[in-house]
């Protein structure tokens, strides 16, 4: 497999500074994400997962090392990277369509074509009839889907998902993670998913990266190969190897709880 | 206050539920009105039967007479409109200028930190104490009164609106930053729209504040307006005039408050 490298971290370290001292959050991480890959990142809480995503998104600069997206050094936020946060953060004063157009507005790229594309995305993923509704009127799962479409509307090469389902109840969470992963694969996007939920990581990703506790370093990387008929998270959960992966990763994480 | 929305009942039970809620609302409204009427009747009777001295307490029929007289003299509307205009200009200026200054303070953390102690002191200072200074500087006229109304509402508006700005969820801002938004875009796309409820809340408070400023201002300087009528009435011991002015004042203030409530409904249509 000789696919293009979309994201590459080279010996990246990050420290947060405050008057009280410095907090090393990420320590010497190197990783590379190839085009079309779906990568899951799990790690103990507070270990620096969000920090890694913020680095890739260009929201913060590494203290040491280099972050490259599409071969270029990251200088700041760019349209190449779409970021989906833990909560949907749909703006309650905007309709769903207006929310979806937010990113395009910021780039000054709202025109007939981009608008039509946004509407088509809403249509394709079952939100067409809700485009003129306000977020209040949608269920949690639908809101999260709208948030994903908002991210996709600017057509990023790479998607960063920071525990995007943790605010949802278990049932919705299963259903929406299935949908989201289907949408992302269908749109041919590369994705990096941060989650607390080991099953979620295994069921959605091609590769799961396990981080150590803070400052985060890579503890291990697991290629996920599951034998199942359909390649969507819900059927992947039924695969015989699923439990094995789960137990291995769970043990690796458990060590840090003590 | 009155909810004129027609609500469709989903079932017989729902219809009964709606009817019950409506009955309760109606009962509350009727009780409120009855208390007012009862109060007016008791006041009138007490004055008629000399239980209270109508010379110092006035009485409803005297108030009506005073209203009619003022109207026939042709000065009633002049006094009312002067006070109302001063108040409206005061609270609009207070809200607009306060919001503008809050934007500056939001924009520059440095200016905000520098201004902080001054704001705290100015906020706790009773602005009425500045009345004589304003008169000396601006002159005894409507501008002094408007300045008074503005001063009373300005500082509290700055503080309220700035807190509203700072309350906007950092994740909403982060979301915009991931799209590469500039500071101006963050202000326009999230800070201001998210703070509309706060700004309207400030506007509502400012209606009351401006009335305080205007009445105090008119006490101090004016030759016209409701505040002037109240002071004048007190000086010549015409309590009828004082009571009448207070009565008009409460109606005008209530109407303005209603207006802001209406505005709130118009602007915040995403709230249901
Ligand atoms: N802006 C900041 N300034 C200082 N310290 C910070 C900042 N952001 C995060 N930290 C600290 O850095 C560490 C890593 O934070 P980060 O949010 O990346 O962890 P996380 O793995 O995403 O945590 P969680 O599991 O809670 O989502 C934490 O200890 C946190 O307190
Ligand atoms: Mg996090």
């Amino acid at each position: 497999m000789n696919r293009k490298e979309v994201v590459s971290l080279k010996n990246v370290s990050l420290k947060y500074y405050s008057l009280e001292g410095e907090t090393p959050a990420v320590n010497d991480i190197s990783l590379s994400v190839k085009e079309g890959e779906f990568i899951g990142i799990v790690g103990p809480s507070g270990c620096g997962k969000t920090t890694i995503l913020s680095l890739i998104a260009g929201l913060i600069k590494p203290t040491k090392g280099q972050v490259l997206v599409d071969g270029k050094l990251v200088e700041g936020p760019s349209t190449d990277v779409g970021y989906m946060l833990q909560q949907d953060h749909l703006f309650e004063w905007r309709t769903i369509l207006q929310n979806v157009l937010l990113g395009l507005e910021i780039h000054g790229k709202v025109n007939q074509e981009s608008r039509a594309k946004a509407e088509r995305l809403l249509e394709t993923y079952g939100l067409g009839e809700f485009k003129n509704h306000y977020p209040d009127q949608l269920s949690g799962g639908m809101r999260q889907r709208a948030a994903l479409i908002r991210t996709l509307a600017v057509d990023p090469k790479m998607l960063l998902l920071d525990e995007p389902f943790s605010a949802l109840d278990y049932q919705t969470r299963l259903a929406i993670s299935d949908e989201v992963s289907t949408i992302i694969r269908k749109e041919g996007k590369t994705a990096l998913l941060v989650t607390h939920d080991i099953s979620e990581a295994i069921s959605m990703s091609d590769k799961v990266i396990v981080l150590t506790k803070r400052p985060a370093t890579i503890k291990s990387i697991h290629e996920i190969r599951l034998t199942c008929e359909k390649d969507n998270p819900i059927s992947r959960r039924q695969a015989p190897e699923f439990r094995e992966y789960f137990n291995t990763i769970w043990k690796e994480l458990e060590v840090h709880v003590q | 206050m009155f909810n004129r929305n027609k609500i469709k009942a989903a079932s017989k039970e729902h219809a009964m539920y709606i009817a019950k809620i409506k009955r309760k609302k109606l009962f509350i409204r009727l009780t409120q009105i009855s208390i007012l009427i009862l109060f007016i009747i008791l006041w009138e009777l007490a004055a008629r039967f000399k239980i209270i001295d109508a010379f110092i307490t006035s009485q409803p029929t005297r108030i009506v007479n005073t209203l009619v007289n003022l109207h026939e003299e042709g000065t009633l509307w002049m006094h009312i409109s002067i006070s109302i205009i001063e108040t409206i200009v005061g609270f609009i200026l207070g809200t607009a200028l306060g919001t503008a200054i809050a934007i500056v303070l939001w924009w520059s953390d440095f200016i905000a930190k520098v201004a902080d102690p001054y704001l705290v002191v100015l906020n706790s200072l009773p602005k009425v104490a500045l009345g004589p200074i304003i008169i000396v500087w601006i002159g005894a006229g409507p501008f002094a009164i408007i300045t008074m109304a503005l001063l009373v509402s300005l500082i509290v508006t700055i503080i309220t609106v700035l807190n509203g700005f700072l309350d906007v969820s950092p994740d909403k801002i982060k979301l915009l930053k991931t799209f590469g938004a500039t500071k101006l875009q963050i202000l326009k796309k999230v800070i201001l729209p998210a703070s509309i409820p706060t700004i309207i809340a400030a506007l509502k408070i400012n209606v009351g504040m401006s009335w305080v400023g205007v009445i105090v201002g008119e006490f101090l300087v004016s030759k016209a307006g409701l505040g002037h009528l109240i002071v004048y009435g007190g000086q010549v011991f015409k309590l009828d005039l004082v009571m009448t002015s207070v009565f008009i004042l409460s109606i005008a203030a209530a109407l303005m408050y209603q207006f802001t409530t209406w505005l709130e409904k118009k602007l915040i249509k995403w709230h249901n």
Side-chain angles (χ1 to χ4, degrees):
Chain A
M1 281 207 291
N2 229 343
R3 282 182 296 179
K4 219 174 86 191
E5 204 170 52
V6 181
V7 175
S8 138
L9 269 61
K10 291 183 180 153
N11 307 97
V12 171
S13 300
L14 184 118
K15 285 180 184 163
Y16 288 112
Y17 297 101
S18 70
L19 286 180
E20 286 74 42
E22 49 179 35
T23 315
V26 171
N27 192 20
D28 197 29
I29 281 194
S30 296
L31 75 94
S32 120
V33 186
K34 301 259 162 55
E35 196 167 20
E37 257 185 332
F38 199 122
I39 294 195
I41 296 182
V42 294
S45 67
C47 76
K49 302 181 291 294
T50 301
T51 306
I52 295 176
L53 296 192
S54 300
L55 284 163
I56 300 172
L59 294 173
I60 46 178
K61 292 210 163 65
T63 320
K64 268 194 219 135
Q66 288 184 321
V67 182
L68 299 140
V69 170
D70 215 23
K72 291 183 298 267
L73 203 64
V74 172
E75 304 277 6
S78 89
T79 35
D80 286 344
V81 181
Y83 200 143
M84 211 171 144
L85 305 168
Q86 187 167 348
Q87 255 128 31
D88 55 65
H89 291 295
L90 294 172
F91 293 176
E92 59 269 32
W93 56 89
R94 286 173 167 245
T95 62
I96 296 302
L97 180 60
Q98 288 168 341
N99 265 295
V100 164
L101 292 173
L102 185 66
L104 292 164
E105 265 175 43
I106 287 167
H107 298 300
K109 283 186 188 152
V110 183
N111 51 36
Q112 287 223 302
E113 193 191 334
S114 62
R115 219 187 155 82
K117 195 193 155 206
E119 295 202 32
R120 206 171 53 239
L121 280 170
L122 283 171
E123 207 66 61
T124 312
Y125 299 117
L127 290 173
E129 55 182 304
F130 298 100
K131 66 179 179 195
N132 294 322
H133 285 51
Y134 286 96
D136 274 11
Q137 300 165 295
L138 268 62
S139 69
M142 284 157 95
R143 293 175 60 123
Q144 206 60 27
R145 227 184 302 153
L148 176 65
I149 297 172
R150 177 183 59 198
T151 316
L152 291 173
V154 291
D155 207 10
K157 295 199 173 81
M158 168 84 207
L159 282 174
L160 306 175
L161 309 150
D162 194 356
E163 303 187 38
F165 316 119
S166 54
L168 305 173
D169 62 84
Y170 188 68
Q171 287 294 328
T172 317
R173 195 176 166 137
L174 279 186
I176 200 82
S177 64
D178 205 61
E179 280 175 27
V180 164
S181 126
T182 312
I183 295 173
I184 290 173
R185 286 177 196 274
K186 202 167 140 194
E187 301 287 327
K189 302 291 179 195
T190 312
L192 216 87
L193 167 81
V194 159
T195 174
H196 272 123
D197 185 335
I198 302 172
S199 314
E200 193 171 275
I202 301 171
S203 69
M204 291 179 80
S205 331
D206 306 317
K207 237 188 227 175
V208 174
I209 297 177
V210 182
L211 298 176
T212 62
K213 65 177 187 227
R214 195 180 62 80
T217 53
I218 295 179
K219 183 177 173 68
S220 60
I221 299 180
H222 303 262
E223 293 264 356
I224 309 293
R225 295 225 170 75
L226 299 168
T227 40
C228 54
E229 282 168 28
K230 281 196 290 179
D231 195 32
N232 62 326
I234 289 184
S235 19
R236 282 166 64 108
R237 281 173 192 259
Q238 315 301 326
E241 303 89 345
F242 193 87
R243 282 240 70 85
E244 250 170 76
Y245 282 118
F246 185 94
N247 288 335
T248 322
I249 296 175
W250 186 69
K251 277 194 195 111
E252 283 181 13
L253 282 174
E254 197 192 27
V255 177
H256 302 289
V257 176
Q258 299 152 5
Chain B
M1 272 185 187
F2 288 102
N3 198 351
R4 289 185 201 287
N5 296 342
K6 279 261 176 285
I7 306 164
K8 268 213 202 95
S11 64
K12 215 174 115 194
E13 289 75 16
H14 187 209
M16 275 164 66
Y17 170 81
I18 294 172
K20 195 175 139 200
I21 301 275
K22 281 196 172 155
R23 259 202 313 279
K24 198 168 170 191
K25 259 192 176 171
L26 184 69
F27 185 62
I28 291 174
R29 182 62 42 143
L30 285 177
T31 313
Q32 288 168 334
I33 295 172
S34 311
I35 289 175
L36 186 65
I37 293 177
L38 196 69
F39 174 73
I40 293 173
I41 292 176
L42 283 179
W43 186 6
E44 181 67 33
L45 289 178
R48 290 246 165 130
F49 293 105
K50 310 257 182 271
I51 301 168
I52 53 174
D53 184 356
F55 183 66
I56 55 170
T57 63
S58 188
Q59 80 191 68
T61 42
R62 283 173 172 233
I63 291 178
V64 174
N65 285 338
T66 315
L67 271 175
V68 172
N69 284 342
L70 280 172
H71 180 63
E72 279 166 1
E73 281 170 30
T75 52
L76 178 64
W77 291 107
M78 187 268 287
H79 289 298
I80 295 179
S81 53
I82 283 183
S83 292
I84 288 185
I85 289 170
E86 287 165 347
T87 307
I88 291 178
V89 173
F91 82 72
I92 289 179
L93 272 184
T95 312
L97 206 61
T99 305
I101 294 175
I103 290 176
V104 172
L105 298 184
W106 173 81
W107 193 279
S108 163
D109 193 43
F110 175 75
I111 300 180
K113 292 232 164 83
V114 172
D116 187 58
Y118 297 102
L119 283 177
V120 170
V121 172
L122 286 176
N123 190 37
S124 46
L125 178 80
K127 265 61 74 177
V128 177
L130 301 175
I133 304 176
I134 295 169
I135 294 167
V136 172
W137 286 359
I138 301 184
F143 287 112
I145 295 169
I146 290 172
T147 309
M148 195 71 230
L150 173 67
L151 276 189
V152 172
S153 55
L154 185 65
I155 307 293
V156 64
T157 307
I158 297 174
I159 293 174
T160 315
V161 174
L162 181 61
N163 281 333
F165 287 173
L166 298 177
D167 259 359
V168 173
S169 134
D171 275 345
K172 281 203 165 84
I173 297 170
K174 180 173 177 181
L175 172 76
L176 284 193
K177 282 190 180 156
T178 65
F179 285 126
T182 60
K183 194 153 192 179
L184 185 62
Q185 282 175 322
I186 291 173
L187 177 71
K188 286 201 298 201
K189 302 276 182 213
V190 65
I191 301 292
L192 286 177
S195 306
I196 284 179
T198 317
I199 294 172
I200 290 180
L203 192 74
K204 277 185 166 174
I205 298 168
N206 287 347
V207 172
M209 294 282 192
S210 288
W211 274 113
V212 173
V214 165
I215 296 301
V216 169
E218 286 178 350
F219 280 4
L220 290 175
V221 300
S222 107
K223 292 146 200 80
L226 293 171
H228 163 74
L229 286 185
I230 292 172
V231 170
Y232 171 74
Q235 282 164 350
V236 299
F237 239 80
K238 274 208 223 165
L239 266 299
D240 294 340
L241 187 59
V242 176
M243 290 293 188
T244 307
S245 309
V246 171
F247 172 68
I248 298 172
L249 188 60
S250 44
I251 290 182
L255 284 180
M256 273 193 205
Y257 188 81
Q258 283 294 301
F259 168 74
T260 53
T261 313
W262 172 83
L263 193 72
E264 186 174 25
K265 280 214 181 102
K266 279 268 142 186
L267 285 176
I268 313 183
K269 43 182 185 303
W270 68 86
H271 259 278
N272 40 359

